[in-house]
Amino acid sequence: MRFSTTLLLTAVPLAAYAAPLRMTKRQVAAIDVTVLQFANTLEQLESQFYAAGLSKFQDSDFEAAGFGVSSVAIQQITNIQSDEATHASVLEEELTALGQNPNSTCSFNFDSALTDVATMAATARVVENLGVMAYLGAASLLTDPQLLEAAGSILTVEARHQTILNVLSGSGTAIPSAFDLALTPSEVLAVASPFFSGSCDLGIPANPTLTVTNTGTISQGTSLTFSSTAINSSVDTSTLFCQMMIGGNPFSISLPYNQCVVPNTVNGPVAIYVTSDDNPLQSNVVNRASANNILAGPTVAFIDAQPETLGQMVRSSGTGTAAASSSTQTISPDVAASIISAQGTSSASGAAATDASAASATDSASAAASTSNSVNDSSDPSAPFRDDFTGLAPGGVINVVGWSNIPSN
């Protein structure tokens, strides 16, 4: 059976009455209005994404993606979609109460993200985590305490959604960190803007989009490669750096652009940037907002280093699982840690340093050719399922690591 968008939305008007805030028309700061309009657009993006997926896919599509009981995934995604639609409805009411036009001028295109259920499920993890990052990052911008409370009540629900989607991935950790990441609005748009169809002027400049070009599974020890409109033939990449931000670290992990290796301490979502120097980015969004070295990004990737039994009970590998591409270079954790230690970032990032006898960064390229990692080894039946989403390219190409790059039609 197919799932009607109309049926999914019928609960919204009643649910809206239970919203935590009903405002009378009054004056609020311009920044508060901007944040509300920004949040409304993101909620519409989330709601329409899930509704489109539920309308498109049948039970058999979920089963082919590894869900032995398709109703498990369908029920959870349906609930998430209903929540997002309610959030959007309430935000529109708040904007109207403040004398603002609640209608977003943005439209969306999810064709590349809805080629199959596996791609949808992988993309949903990023979409939902982006919601958490956006609300958390906007908290410091709001000046009205009532709006701050309302935004916080949405943020906690977005975080619950993220946990469910981590479980449904079959390969992720339900709660991978004790801390979440916050993004500035410009950083949020770097991840979200490829979903926009046509122009979408929110009054906020978007950072240049960054895409991870690896076509195999991203895991600890993977050497990352990138593309971005900000990184063209005139840019000397030897002068650039990649920065990886993970929950709980006060600073990003800073590495040379051409030696951007995922540390052996990373598990869960990571925000990845390309910068013009090696000055680590601060995790605190207020301090990072003034950073002037961000060239592109972030993009968001999931490093599923600690798959859990619960997720594996919900989902098997399915029929769509593809082998990791040979274009993904993976080195051993010791070599990866050696590169990170050589850059002197262990004190800032909290990454564990290896013994001084570990292979040097110079040896890493040759070591990669002969060193395997079970997380990347498609012949290993215990390897996590390859559905790591790493962003949409500006041209409408979705990159779900472990699956083929899928051009939009």
Side-chain angles (χ1 to χ4, degrees), residues 96-172:
T96 300
L98 294 172
Q100 303 295 321
N101 182 2
N103 298 320
S104 173
T105 59
C106 305
S107 58
F108 313 104
N109 187 326
F110 304 114
D111 289 347
S112 296
L114 297 176
T115 55
D116 53 38
V117 168
T119 304
M120 180 186 73
T123 307
R125 294 180 77 189
V126 171
V127 168
E128 209 62 42
N129 199 63
L130 185 63
V132 174
M133 294 174 171
Y135 277 102
L136 191 56
S140 63
L141 301 175
L142 289 169
T143 64
D144 187 293
Q146 289 180 288
L147 291 178
L148 180 59
E149 180 184 349
S153 69
I154 295 176
L155 167 61
T156 58
V157 175
E158 299 286 345
R160 294 186 185 104
H161 294 167
Q162 176 62 48
T163 296
I164 289 295
L165 291 168
N166 286 340
V167 172
L168 293 181
S169 74
S171 61

Side-chain angles (χ1 to χ4, degrees), residues 85-331:
T86 301
H87 292 165
S89 176
V90 169
L91 287 169
E92 289 176 355
E93 291 181 23
E94 306 300 354
L95 286 165
T96 300
L98 294 172
Q100 303 295 321
N101 182 2
N103 298 320
S104 173
T105 59
C106 305
S107 58
F108 313 104
N109 187 326
F110 304 114
D111 289 347
S112 296
L114 297 176
T115 55
D116 53 38
V117 168
T119 304
M120 180 186 73
T123 307
R125 294 180 77 189
V126 171
V127 168
E128 209 62 42
N129 199 63
L130 185 63
V132 174
M133 294 174 171
Y135 277 102
L136 191 56
S140 63
L141 301 175
L142 289 169
T143 64
D144 187 293
Q146 289 180 288
L147 291 178
L148 180 59
E149 180 184 349
S153 69
I154 295 176
L155 167 61
T156 58
V157 175
E158 299 286 345
R160 294 186 185 104
H161 294 167
Q162 176 62 48
T163 296
I164 289 295
L165 291 168
N166 286 340
V167 172
L168 293 181
S169 74
S171 61
T173 305
I175 306 172
S177 174
F179 299 92
D180 280 317
L181 290 171
L183 296 184
T184 69
S186 293
E187 292 172 341
V188 171
L189 288 176
V191 182
S193 58
F195 288 113
F196 296 153
S197 177
S199 62
C200 179
D201 185 7
L202 297 174
I204 299 169
N207 284 4
T209 298
L210 181 67
T211 302
V212 173
T213 56
N214 299 70
T215 55
T217 302
I218 291 181
S219 61
Q220 295 174 352
T222 297
S223 180
L224 301 177
T225 55
F226 306 99
S227 69
S228 172
T229 55
I231 308 172
N232 53 44
S233 58
S234 65
V235 176
D236 181 4
T237 58
S238 67
T239 66
L240 304 181
F241 292 81
C242 83
Q243 310 265 359
M244 285 180 271
M245 192 86 68
I246 59 177
N249 276 16
F251 298 95
S252 64
I253 300 166
S254 179
L255 294 167
Y257 178 86
N258 295 320
Q259 290 183 321
C260 188
V261 178
V262 179
N264 61 356
T265 55
V266 176
N267 178 59
V270 55
I272 308 170
Y273 304 75
V274 170
T275 59
S276 57
D277 59 43
D278 63 349
N279 187 31
L281 300 172
Q282 296 189 54
S283 178
N284 183 286
V285 72
V286 175
N287 296 331
R288 192 172 73 249
S290 60
N292 58 9
N293 62 338
I294 297 176
L295 186 65
T299 186
V300 176
F302 280 86
I303 312 301
D304 290 336
Q306 299 174 19
E308 296 178 324
T309 304
L310 178 61
Q312 295 172 343
M313 291 173 62
V314 171
R315 186 176 179 188
S316 64
S317 59
T319 60
T321 302
S325 168
S326 60
S327 64
T328 294
Q329 179 187 7
T330 302
I331 61 180

